[in-house]
Each structure stands twice: as structure tokens, then as C-alpha cells.
Amino acid sequence: MRRRHRHRLLRPLVAFAAVTGIFATATPNADSTPLEGTSAASATTTVFYYTKTKNWPATYLHYAPDGGSWTTVPGVRMETACTDWVKETVDLGSAAGLQATFNNGSGTWDNNGGTNYALGTGTVTVKDGVVAHSDPCADTGTGTGNQATVYYSTATSGWSTANLHYAPTGGSWTTVPGVGMESACSGWWKRTVDLGTATTLKAAFNNGNGVWDNNNGGDYALGSGTTTVKDRTVTAGAADPCAAQAPDTQAPTTPTGVTASATGTSVVVSWKPATDDTAVTKYQLTRTGGTEGTVVTDVGSTVWSDTGLAEKTTYTYAVKAVDAAGNTSPASSAAPVTTGEKAPAPAAGTPLGTDPRKDPIYFVLTARFYDGDTSNDRGGSQDVTSGNAANNDPMFRGDFKGLVGKLDYIKALGFSAVWITPVVLNRSDYDYHGYHGYDFYKVDPRLESAGASYQDLINAAHAKGMKIYQDVVYNHSSRWGAKGLFTPTVYGVRDTQWSWYYDEKNAGFDYDGLTVEPKSGKSYYNGDLWSTAEPSGNTCLNWGKPTGGKSPEGYTLYNCQWPSPTSGMFPKAYYHQCWIGNWEGEDSRSCWLHEDLADFNTENATVQNYLIGAYDKYIDMGVDGFRVDTAVHIPRVTWNRRFLPAIHDRVTQRFGADAAKNFFVFGEVGAFVNDKWNRGSVNHSAQFFTWKERREYSADDEKAAIEQYDYEEQLGTGNQPTSANAFLNGNSYHTPDRSQFSGMNIIDMRMHMNFGDAQNAYNNGKDSDDSVNDATYNVVYVDSHDYGPNKSSTRYSGGTDAWAENMALMWTFRGIPTLYYGSEIEFQKGKQIDCGPTCPLAGTGRAYYGDHLAGGVTASDFGTVASASGEVATTLAQPLVKHLQRLNRIRRAIPALQSGQYSTDGITGSMAFKRRYTSGSTDSFALVTVTGGATYTGIPNGTYTDAVTGDVKTVSGGTLSVAAPGKGNLRVYVLNGPGKIGADGPYLK
């Protein structure tokens, strides 16, 4: 086949350094030789090409100086330079570089994947597709004087080549960029250099493309002999890091603390982590008993939920730890458990398992959406004082039955995923939102009804082709502990002041959120949380002594009456012991947010096992993903070590690898600033959580959290990993590199913060995309149950035209569009989102929406209404609803708008971009402009059809121009597209 090459100029290679380098772009220290330019009047380039991986009998350089003509195929034959290298010196004249390809003279080509190599002047090496600047055949240290052998680690930086720039003491610096180092073993590069009579040298390292490690400006002081440099740590007289390692024969320690507890015919087994001289890679869980005999299961975390067991049967569990070499520890002590009766729950669902980018998300506060069963309504302790009772509007009003009944409304809007607030049992005074989890293993009965359990909701959604994303909280519990882990006793007294507050004790009543306690007629407490007498084992300081303060009502306040991390009320093992002092400091991840949010010590194995076991239950029910609340308040290394692998392992074990790949986890990383990096702190920036760790930390999770925080803060914002996963390569889609993905995607806080104006959100959003592992998975919304744009405390009130423009952008730009319930009719616009129990919910952004959904509705497809009657028909006739329905239909029909990478290269226009997605037989290419006009240059020739108007444009010269469609409107010209999608509406026309 004839070789392919391109004669046009490509993007300058300096951009490559920004992608691959982890250290700051800088010249060496002032004492070293500065970077030197090459005169264009006498420019030459000596090209070295690495042949070892090609095995060609001859190598030819086919090139064209910038602005000049290509050589005649196959080019000029290159000469042998040194082992594994050939070279050719090219006279460039006045050119500043050249385009190049290589071949064997017989039709086999290396043209850099079809884009050619862009080479500059000076000495250039091309090795396995990587361009660098050094002489690979320079002195390798074979003189008779002193020598230094330097090993340099690129395991952290990810550099694909390394150069050593050095000066023997008393001698001169090498010419920048120095001498090329040889690959020694994985992650290590080596170079031996002659020092003459000197015994020391100064050194700096670089990747050959302008990215340097010069020891923070101080250069490295190295000695003769063998030295290693890793993560700025110099080890003199070091052993060869690439020497063959002795085989690992040491087994991990025996797991301890194995416990097994049964609920019905399910058993949760947990244990403390084992340790190893390298690392524990998995555990072997052995179950004996029952008719199944011995069952051995590999487990990646330290908790396992065993389901579908026989009734009233004793089983015994034991655990072994295994390392990478296969060394296995002795078995742990056995943990016996006896199952109960089989629960009559419906069969578990199965997640739909498709690419989450295909599914726009509708976000509902379940308790405020639609009331399908009034018998489970509950007002709570603040029903009267909040004003809700006067409005006949209990805080727990909506439920799963109501949500099941209105799934067709959500489908008629065009949404195929529903994000619901947490479902676990809450126990706080004002807990309808679900974020104050108390019993993480139990679904809150105030949401369920006969025939409308949580499982029924999941199954009903799946039957309609819709996903359920469950909001989950790993960071904290409330009121004030966690059932099954630890709940403290607080001081209380039923005197004349406090008898209204503290329920009478009723030892026979088990709080479940729904059942009314007979003594008080209430359902939220039963006197089990407090005591006047100091309980045995109390650790709270100054039990029951007056603090000297008064409540808002003027009542005496007492020590140990309210939860506090510093009072000794909570055990250090399970809960953190401090208040947050700096929201961009390490303490924001290891301290309490608020007195009503008891902060889990998530670095503790028992706490980890409790949470992993709880959320395994909901994975087993078939939910399609987790939205992670307060993700930023847990260290990334804890997510990456414990919780994210546990989620992935559980989905894989239950439903297979494909389901695990598409189980959608997206975290709330509350970075409420308009900067790419949250006040310069990488640990508190949303994109940071999308990456794996880049080095090993202490085995102890608490130590590891501090180490990781300090290490990443010290590296700073300029040395964080970057990604091209969201970006087209010219007009071409490329397979994304997800190898460093942590498992957590993110809510796009930067777009959210700037959505006061669509143009501002667009500019800010794309500015952060190179620091996200894959921004095409970002969850994008305008406002939510917490904030409006710019951290506003009110629901968005920018006007209908602005809403239409915001939606047009969200539904066509990269990411997953998400809408907070009711925004399709500008519900509660301008209203305060949350005022707590001090005002009625009806006047807030969390008001009851059900009045707008009364009546019947049937969806014939996503974005299409088959029939509607009553008030819901009026709701569905609103202009933004019509706009939303058509946007969803257009997005669903064009794969590029769902999963495509994007680019703005060659495009003029304020909100204009091109997107492409290629997979198998699918090749979808779309040109989008929102509100304003645009011109696209350098695009493929062919026939483009606008999905909004049906207009057809034939491109023959690589250019297409589009007139401004108007605010809220857009154009989507699709190459070989499907034509006009849907009918004209109030905005799309």
C-alpha cells in the first residue's frame, strides 16, 4: 500500500511537553547553561532514528523543510550512527524545522500514525514515536577517569524519554538538553558519564521537549559511583534499581477481626486489612456449611456480602490474604453465623450497563416530587415550627410510589436516567432530603409502600429503559451516629425546660422512621439517644454540667448535650475528632462539617467495611450508578484504595466486567471558585479526583492520606496529569486512554458556578478539560438542591431565553446534561433553595412539585408524549418543556453529541465547536453553534445536514459558514446526517 504523508504544518511539538511532563516547564538553574536558540540562517537538523523495534535492513528519511518541498520517495538513506541508531543531517536553509516520515525503502512506513513528525533544528531523536532532543551516541562514560552512573526515575512524571544535563565540578555544562539516557528498566533511565579528575557533578533532567526537573531551581549535587534520583530524592552509593529482585517468598499477615452478621438469608463478612512486605492484592474467603459445601471466593476489599443462602442454616467463614507473588497467609479465625428466614423481597434488578454518556439525567428530591401514598407522609419534629403543618405539606411527602407513577413524565421530557436523593434511613429533625444517614443498611420506610419498594422503583425504571442513580454518602452520618457501627448517648433531662424535646424512653420500640411510638405519638425518637445519669463507659468530658450558655429559647445548655468531635463523645477509631478550620486545608478532609454531620473516620477499616457492606446491598439491587455526596471531604487515596475498587469489584462479581465499566460514579467535589484549581489547592479541585495515585504511600490509610495530601500540594497545579481524552485530534476521534482513571467522574462545578451566563460557563468549562481524565463524562447542571450559579442560595432566575440557551449548550457540548426537578417550567425561580426548619418548604427551591404532575401521562418514547391529561398536560405544554424534548431527541439521534470528543480548532464563533465519535461502523461528525454564527475551516468535505432546520450544505473546500440562529437556538450540521429531527418549537426552529 502506498504510504501516506501530509504536507501541511502541524501543531508545534512544544505542546507535547505540556501533556506528558509532570514537572514545571523551566530552564535549568542559573548556574547551568541556558537554553540556546539556533540561527535560522544556518539551520541544520541531525535526525537520529531508533531502529531496534523495527528491524529494517535499511532506513530512509523522507522529509520537507517547513515551506519547502518533499524529497523524492523513499527519501534519503540514513547512515549507521551507533548501536540501534541511524542518522542523517539535513540542511534546512532558512527553515526553522521540517516534516518527516521514515520507511524501509520497500513500502513499510512510520508516519507517526498518519500525522508525520514535526521536527525542529539541532539534534533530534525519534524513538518509538517519541521526539526528543539529545545525541544518543554521545559519550557513554568509557574514559579512564572517575565515572558517575546516574539512574533517574520517571515513574511519577510519566516521561517517555529522559536527558541528563550536567557539569562535573569545575567543568562546563553539557549543551542543552544534555545527553540522552538509556532505558534501564520499567520507570528507570540510566547514564554513565566521565568526570575526569572531578568526584562530583551538578545535574538537571529533562524530557527533551522543554520540561525540566532541576530540583526546584537548585540543581542536583551528585557524586561518583552509582546514584539514584527518584521524586527529588538523591540516594548516593545506591544499589542498581534494575537488578534482578529476589523472589518474594514472604506471605502476608493473617487477617484478623473477622466478623459475620446475618440479615435474613444474606450475610455480611468483614475483617481488618492484612499487611505484606510488598502489598496484599486480594483475599480468599472460604465459606463452609449448608448443602453447597466449601465455596472459595476472591475478594478485592475487606468486606463481602453473601446473598441467596439457605434459611436457618449455620455457615462459617475464614479469610486468607494473598500477595502479587501468590504467597498466601494462614487462614483467619473462623467466624460462624446462622441465617434467618428468607425475606419476601422481589428479585434483584440488573443494571442496564450502557454508556452513561447516552443518558441525560433528571434529578429529583424523592420526598418532594410526587406523593403516591399519603399513608407514609411524615412531618417530623419540626412540622409545626417550620410552618409546613399549616400548609398541609409534610416534609416527607413524595415517595417511590409517586416516582414510579411519574416515570413516564420524566421519559416524556426525554430523560433516560433519574438521580434520586439518598434512600437510607435518616433520623434527624429535618431529614427529608436523605443526607443524614443513620441506618445505612435500611431503606427509609417513609419512601416505600406496598408494591412500591425501592426494588420496585429500580425494576420499573429499567422496564422503561431508564437508569436509577442513587445518591450516596460516605463522609458522614447523623443523629448522630450510625446504626450497627456506633451511636453515642448524649446528656438529656426531662425537666420543665426540656421535657418537650426529649422523648420518654421506650425500650420496646425500635425507631424505623415510619412507625408511630405509642407513648409520645411521634415517630422520630424513642428516648434511646439520651440519658440523665452518666452511662457506664462514658468518655464525654464534664457530663451534664451546665456550659454557662443558653438555647435560643433561654433554656440551660449542658455539656455532652449536643454532638461535638472535641468532647470525647465519639470514639477516635470511628469518627474524626476536629472541626474544619480551613476549607482548602487538609483538615477539610479529616474534620467535621457541622455538628449534625458526624464525620466518619473513613481511614479506619471497620468504618470502611461498614460503608462498603451497606452500599453493596444497593449495587446488588441493580442500581446503575452512584452520585457521591461530599466526595472532596474524603482523601483521594482513600477513594482510590478502598471505596472505588470495592464498587468496581462488587459490580463485576454480580453483573460482569461490562456492567462495571459503565456503572456510573460521579462525585460532588465542592470547588466553589471560578478558577481552574480551587484557590491553588489540587486536593480540593474537582478534576483531581478523576485520577489514580501516581506513587505508593504508607500501608496505614491515615498516614497515607497525609502523605498524599502533602505530596500533591507540593507538586502544585503545574505538575498535575493532563489528558487529551476529551479532544479531537484535528477532525479525528482517537481511542481515549483511561488507564489512569480513578473510577470517579465529577460534577462540573466550574460550569455550574459560571452558568449565570452560558457563554461564561462554556469558556470556563473547556478551560479545565485538559486536567480531567475524561471530561466527556462530566455531569453538567445549572442549579441543584444546594446552590444556583456562583454559589447563589436561590434557584436560577435568569429568564426563559437564558434557560433555553443554557439547555442548548448543555445538550450539545461535552458532558452529561442534568436538570434539577421543575426547572423545565422554571419552578420556584429566584426562591431560596433551603432555609432549614425555619420556614415552610412551600416557599423554597425544595417545594413539592406534585401539583404540576396531577393527571395522567404516557410516553411513547424518550421526548415524545403519547397522551396526557389534567395538570400534567399543561406542564408538558410549557415552552421550555418543548425545547427540552427536542434537544433530547436530537442528542439521542447523534452519537457525536453523546460520547464525542470536541475541538474548536479552525472555528470562529462564540459558542461553536465540532464533535466526533467513531466506534465500529459508527462515525458521527457534527458542527455545532449555539446562539451565534460560526465559520468552520479545515473540515472534511461532504454533505452536512442541520438537525434543527433540515438545511443541507455541501462542503468542497473544507469550509462551512452558519448564520446566527438567535438566543436559545442552535445549529447542528451533521456529516451525512439523519436530517431534521422533530418539529419546530419556541426556540429550536
Side-chain angles (χ1 to χ4, degrees), residues 954-968:
T954 301
V955 175
S956 58
T959 299
L960 184 150
S961 295
V962 182
K967 187 160 186 173

Side-chain angles (χ1 to χ4, degrees), residues 671-676 748-765 767-768 781-782 788-791 796 806 809:
F672 298 107
V673 295
N674 292 309
D675 305 321
K676 181 174 183 176
D748 198 321
M749 296 302 293
R750 194 166 182 203
M751 287 195 74
H752 162 56
M753 281 292 292
N754 288 279
F755 249 123
D757 174 75
Q759 180 71 62
N760 199 33
Y762 171 69
N763 291 339
N764 277 274
D767 179 54
S768 296
Y781 57 60
V782 173
N790 203 30
K791 208 176 182 182
Y796 181 72
N806 289 342
L809 176 62

Side-chain angles (χ1 to χ4, degrees), residues 27-32 173 202-204 213-221:
T27 59
N29 189 30
D31 290 338
S32 355
W173 284 87
K202 283 191 173 182
D213 171 13
N214 57 13
N215 196 23
N216 285 329
D219 295 329
Y220 289 96

Side-chain angles (χ1 to χ4, degrees), residues 6 240 306 317 346 434 459 506 518 583 646-647 802 916 979:
R6 299 180 182 180
D240 181 352
D306 210 0
Y317 294 85
N459 296 347
N506 185 344
W583 289 85
I647 292 170
R916 191 169 206 156

Side-chain angles (χ1 to χ4, degrees), residues 797-832:
S797 58
T800 309
D801 291 352
W803 252 124
E805 185 178 53
N806 289 342
M807 290 178 179
L809 176 62
M810 287 194 293
W811 262 256
T812 55
F813 189 43
R814 59 93 186 116
I816 302 171
T818 301
L819 199 72
Y820 183 41
Y821 81 100
S823 291
E824 63 271 25
I825 62 170
E826 298 178 86
F827 181 60
Q828 299 296 89
K829 62 182 179 181
K831 296 291 182 66
Q832 185 174 356

Side-chain angles (χ1 to χ4, degrees), residues 38 51 65 95 145 154 156 262 348 359 365 409 425 480 524 548 642 657 727 803 809 910 967 970 975 989:
T38 302
T51 63
T154 57
T156 299
D359 301 299
L365 269 75
Y409 168 77
L425 177 64
W480 283 286
Y524 29 92
R642 308 300 176 201
F727 307 119
W803 252 124
L809 176 62
S910 56
K967 187 160 186 173
L970 77 155
L975 181 61
K989 54 189 176 181

